[in-house]
Amino acid sequence: MAKGCDVKQEKITFGEYGTEPGKFLIISGVAVSADNEIFVTDDINKRVQVFSIDGTLLRFFPTVLPGESKTMYARGVALDVAPGYLWVLGSRNRWFFTFNKDYVVQYSKNGQPIKKFDVSLKSIYPVIAMDVRNNKIIVGDRNTIMVFDPNGSRLWSSRVPTEYQISGVTSDKEGNVLLSDGSKTIQKYNPFGVKILEFGTCGKGEGQLNSPVGICLDTSGRIIVANSKYKRVDMFTSQGKFVRTIADIERPRAVAMGPRGELVVTSPYKVTIFPRHMVFP
């Protein structure tokens, strides 16, 4: 007699183009909290939408500036060190050639704006991450990586050699900053802004990159990259050795790892959740 079997969860995909709740006008960033809530920045809709790990819409809130009624385009999101808070990178203007008003804003997880500081951005798609070890905010903008304290003081910045622009950023447990250059390489900088690792070559083969964008780490420090040109998500060791391709997916963009090993991957108008057994077979 059969003892029963475990039904393995399949990937979950949700979202489409639109302005209604649960729909998107360009997903620009994603983050997953310790309690398994998915925060998605819905750029042109000027809001953050929050989902459960099974894709259920829980709530959403407009990206209002603290003390003002004005909203900003939501360009990226990172979870704060303090439970219950997040940081959103945004701009009052849509296009980079206009006079920009750019901000990093702290919100409660329910959408209450807390505080902000100004940044000056040159890219239409800057990126943001949190250095959890050192409680620092990391912003990647075109060819510059910047690190701020929570009050907005810039601690250091570094020019990044790239043929395109910084397209993804994250941080490891030692406080090192990792970024994708949007062209073909992944770069790692120590907490003082000195480059300590670079890997990646352009091509279609295993471990090669073409237009890498979103980047995150798993709990073991392995590097997960949205390899957008070749429609796949690839995993590397912390030293840049190719491990495997996790997923084949159209137009992968931002990536984030859930606390139980779920991988969340966005495309411009959709979110896909890959269960742990698909990420770590």
Side-chain angles (χ1 to χ4, degrees):
M1 184 175 64
K3 295 182 179 179
C5 61
D6 294 327
V7 178
K8 289 189 175 181
Q9 180 186 343
E10 298 296 324
K11 68 180 181 181
I12 299 168
T13 299
F14 59 91
E16 60 181 292
Y17 181 91
T19 59
E20 297 88 350
K23 298 182 180 180
F24 305 97
L25 290 184
I26 303 183
I27 296 171
S28 51
V30 66
V32 185
S33 66
D35 56 355
N36 256 348
E37 289 188 338
I38 303 171
F39 293 79
V40 182
T41 40
D42 188 4
D43 184 359
I44 300 176
N45 282 326
K46 296 182 178 180
R47 66 190 180 192
V48 174
Q49 300 201 64
V50 188
F51 300 85
S52 68
I53 202 65
D54 64 3
T56 301
L57 178 64
L58 301 175
R59 60 190 180 277
F60 61 92
F61 58 87
T63 43
V64 176
L65 295 171
E68 304 180 37
S69 60
K70 297 176 181 177
T71 55
M72 65 178 186
Y73 294 97
R75 299 289 167 76
V77 60
L79 273 302
D80 198 359
V81 171
Y85 298 93
L86 62 147
W87 295 91
V88 176
L89 176 63
S91 177
R92 288 278 297 129
N93 304 105
R94 175 71 187 133
W95 306 111
F96 67 88
F97 49 77
T98 59
F99 179 71
N100 277 3
K101 289 284 190 179
D102 310 305
Y103 307 97
V104 176
V105 182
Q106 186 187 46
Y107 296 91
S108 73
K109 288 171 67 175
N110 291 320
Q112 179 68 33
I114 307 298
K115 63 180 180 179
K116 67 177 174 65
F117 61 86
D118 297 0
V119 290
S120 180
L121 303 176
K122 299 177 181 177
S123 169
I124 190 172
Y125 286 121
V127 289
I128 186 171
M130 196 75 192
D131 174 0
V132 176
R133 177 186 176 96
N134 299 303
N135 193 23
K136 303 295 186 291
I137 300 151
I138 307 162
V139 175
D141 177 44
R142 193 171 287 181
N143 61 356
T144 303
I145 194 79
M146 298 171 280
V147 176
F148 300 87
D149 71 19
N151 294 317
S153 296
R154 186 186 297 197
L155 303 176
W156 61 264
S157 63
S158 182
R159 300 271 291 184
V160 174
T162 174
E163 298 172 15
Y164 182 52
Q165 67 179 33
I166 298 169
S167 298
V169 67
T170 191
S171 180
D172 66 17
K173 293 179 179 179
E174 285 72 48
N176 299 312
V177 176
L178 295 92
L179 61 89
S180 59
D181 74 349
S183 176
K184 61 184 178 183
T185 70
I186 305 301
Q187 301 177 28
K188 183 189 291 189
Y189 293 77
N190 71 14
F192 306 101
V194 178
K195 187 195 292 187
I196 55 177
L197 177 69
E198 179 175 331
F199 67 90
T201 58
C202 188
K204 294 183 179 181
E206 286 191 346
Q208 293 186 303
L209 300 169
N210 195 331
S211 302
V213 283
I215 181 172
C216 69
L217 303 180
D218 70 10
T219 54
S220 298
R222 287 170 293 204
I223 304 166
I224 296 171
V225 181
N227 198 355
S228 65
K229 185 75 172 181
Y230 295 128
K231 305 176 183 178
R232 68 193 191 210
V233 179
D234 292 332
M235 177 185 285
F236 300 83
T237 68
S238 60
Q239 295 303 309
K241 182 180 179 181
F242 178 72
V243 177
R244 63 178 171 272
T245 293
I246 297 173
D248 296 301
I249 186 170
E250 287 286 334
R251 303 175 73 184
R253 193 165 181 175
V255 292
M257 179 66 66
R260 294 197 292 264
E262 306 92 342
L263 178 65
V264 181
V265 183
T266 75
S267 57
Y269 311 112
K270 293 182 182 295
V271 178
T272 301
I273 304 166
F274 293 90
R276 179 182 175 85
H277 72 85
M278 297 181 72
V279 181
F280 307 103

